[in-house]
Amino acid sequence: MPDNQTILLKSRPSGKPTLANFDLTTTEIGTPGDGEVLLRSVYVSVDPYLRGRMSDAPSYVPPFEVGKPISSGIIAEVIESKSDRFQKGDYVSGSLEWKERQVAKAKGLQQVDPGKAPLSAYLGVLGMTGLTAYLGLTEIGKPKSGETLVVSGAAGAVGSVVGQIGKILGLRVVGIAGTDEKVDMLTSEFGFDAGINYNTTEDMSAAIGAACPDGVDVYFDNVGGDISDAVLFHINKFSRTINCGAIAVYNSKELPRSVSVRPFLVKNSALMQGFIVSNYADKFPDGVRQLAQWLQEGKITHKETVREGFDTIPQAFLDLFDGKNTGKMVVNVKK
Amino acid sequence: MPDNQTILLKSRPSGKPTLANFDLTTTEIGTPGDGEVLLRSVYVSVDPYLRGRMSDAPSYVPPFEVGKPISSGIIAEVIESKSDRFQKGDYVSGSLEWKERQVAKAKGLQQVDPGKAPLSAYLGVLGMTGLTAYLGLTEIGKPKSGETLVVSGAAGAVGSVVGQIGKILGLRVVGIAGTDEKVDMLTSEFGFDAGINYNTTEDMSAAIGAACPDGVDVYFDNVGGDISDAVLFHINKFSRTINCGAIAVYNSKELPRSVSVRPFLVKNSALMQGFIVSNYADKFPDGVRQLAQWLQEGKITHKETVREGFDTIPQAFLDLFDGKNTGKMVVNVKK
């Protein structure tokens, strides 16, 4: 039996995670029983929200256990099937463990079609990433044509899709990202109206004001730190903020502080709401249908950063916090 | 012609307002033209939101002008009428100037019935105060029976009504106020389940946790400062915060800062929304009907702090920021 590489949570991070928090080891593969399949991982998704599961603080998803495998969204090939639902050679998507091969229950896996879109797209624009962008923007943001949308983490997996959907829906779209290269990409590849580099802009509030002459109606917030404070000064009456992520403060050892949003909310009758895609599971089928249509029509560009090799998964995850990805970060682990 | 006392905005406050920001003077009364009435003020409402109008920062209501009369909700008696809508001896409610007597357009005034409720109640539970409590709680808070409601500024005009409506709707209601006397009143007069004195409680977060064993589902926030940070640690998944006021920071000269709400919103799929009663004008008639019914049924206690004399209006307003009122603060100015 070949070595089956597996990545465990070795220790809980304090502040920013490091490679020392992960343990690359090997595990037994096991044999599928009734209703189970044997899978070979192809693409592994790394996502900022996994940081939360590495801590043992209560959150919306249970924490990973120390000494046990980490899990995330994975596209896998069916090697052997003891389930009616899948055949050998099928590709599936599911929340799976960071293992090269594993046995999993067929229930909870969704078949994906490599003929309709690249396999990795099912972790990105046609997966939780795209659904987060689409449902967060439409369900909480409720954008109206002609309004102004600001997106933080705009060149990231979710942000880049949010901005493109914003343009489809007739909004002025301003993105905030951390390198000139990314900011260029916002306008040249993703169709944003303007981009701001938060690393080279001295006065973020002034820059947002200049890019949003009519103020900000919808703010899709993936970062949650100082950048979001700067946006706050420009929110319009009845504005909506989608609090989708707070990557800027996930690794904070101290309780993060900010400009108080409360007087701004009172003054503007404004809304802020936390968004977690899993709360909207009943809207997934419609969402995927809409996203797939836009993808096929060429209205959405599918951008990803692909790393190679199973053992690069932890570093790919760590690199999210340094903004080293453009679009969705995935790891191709197929040998 | 008798001296007609009038209060002008003398200067804009920096930080906490003082008596020096007001000018007590006399003005001409004038004569009503067609469609106008001559009014004698009876009850004058003082409200925290007036602080915002004393500044010239853009807000949801235009600022007062320096050298011009201040205005607020006033109950007045019709002394002379050149309008079909009102007769001499009628009582009306409207946004009027701080004058003993004044000429006003009949349009924009509402008749009030002193036979149905005490006149001052039309500034309180049957006026904007009651509507703010009712519509803020129901439209944004969307409370469900059995949930836990926390109210800050709980012994104040809006807060005391919010808590009572919360009990009518079947919630566990916990109030936060600033003196033992007020906290006693919350449970003994307003029917709250528990009260917390923020001035004598060392660890507010622990006290809120103890008073809300099932967490906080709805937070009606009238204060917006450190107290609200303490509540944040206890919000439940899908919780709703009504940002109705931020009296704790209205007088702040520096930009107020707080614990960042963003990671809490993300983690809990929680909502915060600014509430201004004027956005819900279409729901006023139903709201007043419901409040009047509860008042008549004895389900809501109408509590107010009444000051006497026209010249006490500025001090009554200033005392709001020191929490010297219980329930609605009004000034009886009828000579």
Side-chain angles (χ1 to χ4, degrees), chain B residues 42-327:
Chain B
V42 181
Y43 284 103
V44 174
S45 178
V46 291
D47 309 273
Y49 83 89
L50 299 172
R51 173 65 184 83
R53 300 192 66 185
M54 296 178 75
S55 298
D56 56 3
S59 186
Y60 56 92
V61 277
F64 297 126
E65 288 179 55
V66 174
K68 295 279 177 69
I70 292 176
S71 57
S72 70
I74 290 181
I75 304 295
E77 185 183 352
V78 177
I79 303 296
E80 186 186 339
S81 178
K82 292 270 176 69
S83 158
D84 298 341
R85 292 187 55 213
F86 303 111
Q87 298 188 335
K88 188 179 172 190
D90 284 350
Y91 287 93
V92 296
S93 166
S95 179
L96 294 165
E97 295 181 333
W98 285 5
K99 292 178 172 176
E100 288 183 298
R101 287 161 196 250
Q102 64 195 292
V103 169
K105 291 197 162 64
K107 195 180 155 184
L109 300 174
Q110 289 83 43
Q111 190 160 357
V112 298
D113 183 347
K116 282 200 178 162
L119 276 178
S120 57
Y122 293 98
L123 293 177
V125 65
L126 298 182
M128 288 305 132
T129 301
L131 288 167
T132 296
Y134 177 67
L135 294 172
L137 183 60
T138 55
E139 295 291 320
I140 295 180
K142 296 186 172 64
K144 291 184 280 290
S145 179
E147 288 190 324
T148 297
L149 165 69
V150 171
V151 187
S152 63
V158 171
S160 58
V161 179
V162 169
Q164 294 179 82
I165 297 174
K167 288 312 300 176
I168 294 171
L169 300 179
L171 307 172
R172 174 172 177 80
V173 179
V174 175
I176 303 169
T179 68
D180 283 344
E181 198 187 347
K182 286 183 180 179
V183 168
D184 285 347
M185 198 171 289
L186 294 181
T187 49
S188 64
E189 294 197 33
F190 299 134
F192 285 53
D193 295 287
I196 302 170
N197 180 344
Y198 66 84
N199 275 316
T200 57
T201 301
E202 208 157 300
D203 186 340
M204 276 300 289
S205 174
I208 291 161
C212 305
D214 298 326
V216 179
D217 301 296
V218 181
Y219 174 39
F220 198 108
D221 186 6
N222 292 301
V223 303
D226 294 346
I227 291 169
S228 301
D229 284 356
V231 175
L232 195 60
F233 293 100
H234 302 282
I235 60 169
N236 284 335
K237 193 169 181 191
F238 300 124
S239 68
R240 291 81 67 196
T241 291
I242 303 106
N243 293 97
C244 182
I247 195 171
V249 300
Y250 283 161
N251 292 330
S252 179
K253 291 185 191 178
E254 311 213 325
L255 194 63
R257 296 181 66 84
S258 74
V259 173
S260 176
V261 300
R262 298 181 185 108
F264 290 88
L265 297 184
V266 173
K267 198 168 69 173
N268 296 296
S269 303
L271 177 145
M272 291 177 72
Q273 191 171 354
F275 176 84
I276 296 162
V277 70
S278 52
N279 297 336
Y280 298 83
D282 59 319
K283 298 191 193 306
F284 285 1
D286 282 350
V288 169
R289 210 169 295 131
Q290 178 63 82
L291 289 160
Q293 186 191 324
W294 284 334
L295 192 66
Q296 279 165 350
E297 293 172 353
K299 289 183 178 168
I300 294 185
T301 298
H302 172 234
K303 191 87 187 171
E304 60 190 12
T305 300
V306 184
R307 300 287 173 84
E308 301 286 336
F310 188 86
D311 57 349
T312 69
I313 297 173
Q315 189 61 53
F317 169 69
L318 299 178
D319 284 350
L320 292 172
F321 296 94
D322 293 323
K324 294 195 178 167
N325 59 308
T326 304

Side-chain angles (χ1 to χ4, degrees), chain A residues 141-260:
Chain A
K142 296 185 172 65
K144 292 184 280 288
S145 179
E147 288 189 326
T148 298
L149 165 69
V150 170
V151 187
S152 63
V158 171
S160 58
V161 179
V162 169
Q164 295 180 81
I165 297 174
K167 288 312 298 175
I168 294 171
L169 300 179
L171 307 172
R172 171 171 179 80
V173 180
V174 175
I176 303 169
T179 68
D180 284 344
E181 197 187 350
K182 287 183 182 180
V183 169
D184 285 347
M185 198 172 289
L186 293 181
T187 49
S188 64
E189 293 197 31
F190 298 133
F192 285 50
D193 295 287
I196 302 170
N197 180 345
Y198 67 84
N199 275 317
T200 58
T201 302
E202 208 157 302
D203 185 341
M204 275 300 291
S205 174
I208 292 162
C212 305
D214 298 325
V216 178
D217 301 295
V218 182
Y219 174 40
F220 199 108
D221 186 6
N222 291 303
V223 304
D226 294 345
I227 290 169
S228 301
D229 284 355
V231 175
L232 195 59
F233 293 99
H234 303 281
I235 59 171
N236 284 335
K237 194 171 180 192
F238 300 123
S239 68
R240 291 81 66 196
T241 292
I242 303 105
N243 294 97
C244 182
I247 194 170
V249 299
Y250 283 161
N251 292 331
S252 177
K253 289 185 193 180
E254 310 213 327
L255 195 62
R257 296 183 66 85
S258 75
V259 173
S260 176

Side-chain angles (χ1 to χ4, degrees), chain A residues 253-300:
Chain A
K253 289 185 193 180
E254 310 213 327
L255 195 62
R257 296 183 66 85
S258 75
V259 173
S260 176
V261 301
R262 298 181 186 109
F264 290 89
L265 297 184
V266 173
K267 198 168 70 174
N268 297 295
S269 302
L271 177 146
M272 292 177 71
Q273 191 171 354
F275 176 85
I276 296 162
V277 70
S278 52
N279 296 337
Y280 298 84
D282 58 320
K283 299 192 191 308
F284 286 0
D286 283 349
V288 169
R289 209 169 296 130
Q290 178 63 81
L291 289 160
Q293 186 192 321
W294 284 334
L295 192 66
Q296 278 166 351
E297 292 171 355
K299 290 183 179 169
I300 294 183

